[in-house]
Amino acid sequence: LAQGVPFSTSVLGAQVAARNGIPAVVLPHFHMEDRYYHWRQFYDVFGTVEAVIAAPAASKPVFFDLIGANAQVAPGGGFDASDFSAESLARGREAFRRIHAGENPFVLVLGRKTGAKNYRMIVQACEQLRVAGHRLDVVLIGPDDDGIALEGPGVHYYGAQPREVVIGALAGSLCLANMSESESFGIVLLESWMATRPVVARSSTLAFTELVQDGHNGFLADNVGDVAGAIKRY
């Protein structure tokens, strides 16, 4: 089993398997919308291994089938349900309170801090709501990939944090928001639901639209105004 596009692990794994006569399956977590995932070496691997585990489901007809890959659709991620037991949620809340002393309701942004995640769209939406008189903060947790300073009234960036803190932030949030341009699945949405918190997800990201039914189990948005409107409803 070889995993990890756009890194070389899937290519190397498939090559080692081929040299040793071992069947290989690739779990690429392929972001179709991201041009930096589209390299010939990945296409070649997808077309030669025994199977490719494809997610979202739309990736099979619109991409994998077109390059001759034997794609099998399966959900793109999982988690340990015990992380979201009542005891784990309580411990997480305590761990999160040790780093976040704010009393305002907050929107959580969870993931790498990088331009492709469009975290600034969520920060701007929360700022609009604050200016309009809403008592609201935004909390961001994840590695600082872009190195851009992030500050301002009601904005709290805590960098990468232990799993327990992440669980506590999910449990204590008003909602989780994710405006990423490209995803292979959307595990943070499932984690938010496991913590019984609602979500706002990007409507132009296929992986999200396969999970979120707008107005039923979350809201879909694609610009600052729509994000603000969804958060305001929550």
Side-chain angles (χ1 to χ4, degrees), residues 84-159:
F84 301 93
S85 67
E87 295 80 6
S88 294
L89 291 173
R91 286 195 303 270
R93 286 176 183 272
E94 286 188 17
F96 179 65
R97 278 195 292 266
R98 287 195 287 270
I99 69 166
H100 180 75
E103 297 295 330
N104 288 341
F106 65 88
V107 175
L108 179 63
V109 181
L110 188 58
R112 293 182 299 112
K113 181 172 156 290
T114 185
K117 298 292 186 180
N118 283 303
Y119 62 88
R120 288 191 174 276
M121 189 186 299
I122 302 164
V123 172
Q124 291 166 4
C126 291
E127 182 181 5
Q128 281 189 7
L129 292 169
R130 284 176 64 88
V131 170
H134 294 276
R135 188 170 60 91
L136 180 70
D137 290 355
V138 57
V139 169
L140 301 95
I141 294 177
D144 187 3
D145 282 12
D146 61 14
I148 297 173
L150 189 60
E151 55 190 19
V155 179
H156 309 272
Y157 173 55
Y158 295 122

Side-chain angles (χ1 to χ4, degrees), residues 25-71:
V25 172
V26 172
L27 174 61
H29 291 125
F30 196 82
H31 293 202
M32 290 185 299
E33 302 95 335
D34 190 335
R35 63 177 177 169
Y36 294 107
Y37 278 60
H38 292 270
W39 294 82
R40 172 58 58 188
Q41 60 181 348
F42 298 134
Y43 283 30
D44 290 344
V45 164
F46 297 157
T48 57
V49 294
E50 274 64 30
V52 176
I53 300 174
S59 68
K60 177 175 167 60
V62 305
F63 173 66
F64 288 111
D65 287 353
L66 301 183
I67 64 169
N70 177 24

Side-chain angles (χ1 to χ4, degrees), residues 27-34 37 52-65 71-77 181-187 189 204-212:
L27 174 61
H29 291 125
F30 196 82
H31 293 202
M32 290 185 299
E33 302 95 335
D34 190 335
Y37 278 60
V52 176
I53 300 174
S59 68
K60 177 175 167 60
V62 305
F63 173 66
F64 288 111
D65 287 353
Q72 305 296 321
V73 174
E181 296 173 358
S182 177
E183 293 291 338
S184 63
F185 184 53
I187 189 67
L189 304 185
S204 57
T205 301
L206 279 173
F208 291 161
T209 60
E210 289 189 4
L211 294 172
V212 178

Side-chain angles (χ1 to χ4, degrees), residues 178-180 200-209 214 219-223 226:
N178 193 317
M179 289 293 111
S180 178
V200 182
R202 186 156 189 160
S203 60
S204 57
T205 301
L206 279 173
F208 291 161
T209 60
D214 190 35
F219 292 122
L220 295 170
D222 208 25
N223 57 64
D226 287 348

Side-chain angles (χ1 to χ4, degrees), residues 1-20:
L1 174 63
Q3 186 269 341
V5 174
F7 308 106
S8 60
T9 47
S10 58
V11 176
L12 294 173
Q15 290 172 346
V16 169
R19 283 199 300 269
N20 290 277

